[in-house]
PDB file of all heavy atoms in Angstrom:
ATOM      1  N   PHE A 449     124.861 107.743 131.659  1.00 96.00           N
ATOM      2  CA  PHE A 449     125.690 108.935 131.903  1.00 96.00           C
ATOM      3  C   PHE A 449     126.131 109.623 130.605  1.00 96.00           C
ATOM      4  O   PHE A 449     127.284 110.036 130.476  1.00 96.00           O
ATOM      5  CB  PHE A 449     126.933 108.580 132.738  1.00 96.00           C
ATOM      6  CG  PHE A 449     126.650 107.710 133.928  1.00 96.00           C
ATOM      7  CD1 PHE A 449     127.367 106.543 134.136  1.00 96.00           C
ATOM      8  CD2 PHE A 449     125.667 108.049 134.842  1.00 96.00           C
ATOM      9  CE1 PHE A 449     127.113 105.727 135.230  1.00 96.00           C
ATOM     10  CE2 PHE A 449     125.404 107.245 135.945  1.00 96.00           C
ATOM     11  CZ  PHE A 449     126.125 106.084 136.145  1.00 96.00           C
ATOM     12  N   ILE A 450     125.220 109.773 129.651  1.00 97.00           N
ATOM     13  CA  ILE A 450     125.598 110.300 128.335  1.00 97.00           C
ATOM     14  C   ILE A 450     125.320 111.797 128.265  1.00 97.00           C
ATOM     15  O   ILE A 450     124.179 112.252 128.361  1.00 97.00           O
ATOM     16  CB  ILE A 450     124.845 109.558 127.214  1.00 97.00           C
ATOM     17  CG1 ILE A 450     125.007 108.038 127.374  1.00 97.00           C
ATOM     18  CG2 ILE A 450     125.360 110.024 125.856  1.00 97.00           C
ATOM     19  CD1 ILE A 450     126.436 107.550 127.390  1.00 97.00           C
ATOM     20  N   THR A 451     126.385 112.568 128.074  1.00 97.00           N
ATOM     21  CA  THR A 451     126.312 114.033 128.029  1.00 97.00           C
ATOM     22  C   THR A 451     125.772 114.516 126.688  1.00 97.00           C
ATOM     23  O   THR A 451     126.083 113.954 125.642  1.00 97.00           O
ATOM     24  CB  THR A 451     127.711 114.632 128.263  1.00 97.00           C
ATOM     25  OG1 THR A 451     128.232 114.133 129.500  1.00 97.00           O
ATOM     26  CG2 THR A 451     127.659 116.147 128.322  1.00 97.00           C
ATOM     27  N   ASN A 452     124.953 115.567 126.743  1.00 97.00           N
ATOM     28  CA  ASN A 452     124.369 116.212 125.549  1.00 97.00           C
ATOM     29  C   ASN A 452     123.401 115.311 124.796  1.00 97.00           C
ATOM     30  O   ASN A 452     123.110 115.547 123.624  1.00 97.00           O
ATOM     31  CB  ASN A 452     125.462 116.668 124.567  1.00 97.00           C
ATOM     32  CG  ASN A 452     126.323 117.794 125.109  1.00 97.00           C
ATOM     33  OD1 ASN A 452     125.985 118.421 126.103  1.00 97.00           O
ATOM     34  ND2 ASN A 452     127.442 118.054 124.456  1.00 97.00           N
ATOM     35  N   SER A 453     122.849 114.305 125.466  1.00 97.00           N
ATOM     36  CA  SER A 453     122.033 113.316 124.759  1.00 97.00           C
ATOM     37  C   SER A 453     120.537 113.614 124.757  1.00 97.00           C
ATOM     38  O   SER A 453     119.797 112.996 123.994  1.00 97.00           O
ATOM     39  CB  SER A 453     122.253 111.930 125.387  1.00 97.00           C
ATOM     40  OG  SER A 453     121.900 111.925 126.764  1.00 97.00           O
ATOM     41  N   GLY A 454     120.080 114.558 125.578  1.00 96.00           N
ATOM     42  CA  GLY A 454     118.643 114.786 125.676  1.00 96.00           C
ATOM     43  C   GLY A 454     118.224 116.237 125.567  1.00 96.00           C
ATOM     44  O   GLY A 454     117.129 116.604 125.986  1.00 96.00           O
ATOM     45  N   THR A 455     119.074 117.079 124.962  1.00 97.00           N
ATOM     46  CA  THR A 455     118.719 118.493 124.810  1.00 97.00           C
ATOM     47  C   THR A 455     117.743 118.678 123.657  1.00 97.00           C
ATOM     48  O   THR A 455     117.538 117.777 122.827  1.00 97.00           O
ATOM     49  CB  THR A 455     119.964 119.356 124.546  1.00 97.00           C
ATOM     50  OG1 THR A 455     120.414 119.124 123.199  1.00 97.00           O
ATOM     51  CG2 THR A 455     121.081 119.029 125.508  1.00 97.00           C
ATOM     52  N   ASP A 456     117.180 119.861 123.574  1.00 97.00           N
ATOM     53  CA  ASP A 456     116.290 120.190 122.464  1.00 97.00           C
ATOM     54  C   ASP A 456     117.036 120.291 121.143  1.00 97.00           C
ATOM     55  O   ASP A 456     116.407 120.301 120.073  1.00 97.00           O
ATOM     56  CB  ASP A 456     115.584 121.522 122.738  1.00 97.00           C
ATOM     57  CG  ASP A 456     114.611 121.445 123.909  1.00 97.00           C
ATOM     58  OD1 ASP A 456     114.243 120.317 124.301  1.00 97.00           O
ATOM     59  OD2 ASP A 456     114.238 122.516 124.439  1.00 97.00           O
ATOM     60  N   ILE A 457     118.378 120.388 121.212  1.00 98.00           N
ATOM     61  CA  ILE A 457     119.158 120.555 119.980  1.00 98.00           C
ATOM     62  C   ILE A 457     120.063 119.350 119.701  1.00 98.00           C
ATOM     63  O   ILE A 457     120.927 119.416 118.825  1.00 98.00           O
ATOM     64  CB  ILE A 457     119.999 121.852 120.014  1.00 98.00           C
ATOM     65  CG1 ILE A 457     120.937 121.862 121.228  1.00 98.00           C
ATOM     66  CG2 ILE A 457     119.091 123.072 120.022  1.00 98.00           C
ATOM     67  CD1 ILE A 457     121.893 123.064 121.242  1.00 98.00           C
TER      68      ILE A 457
END
Side-chain angles (χ1 to χ4, degrees):
F449 314 128
I450 308 303
T451 304
N452 293 346
S453 59
T455 73
D456 293 343
I457 57 175

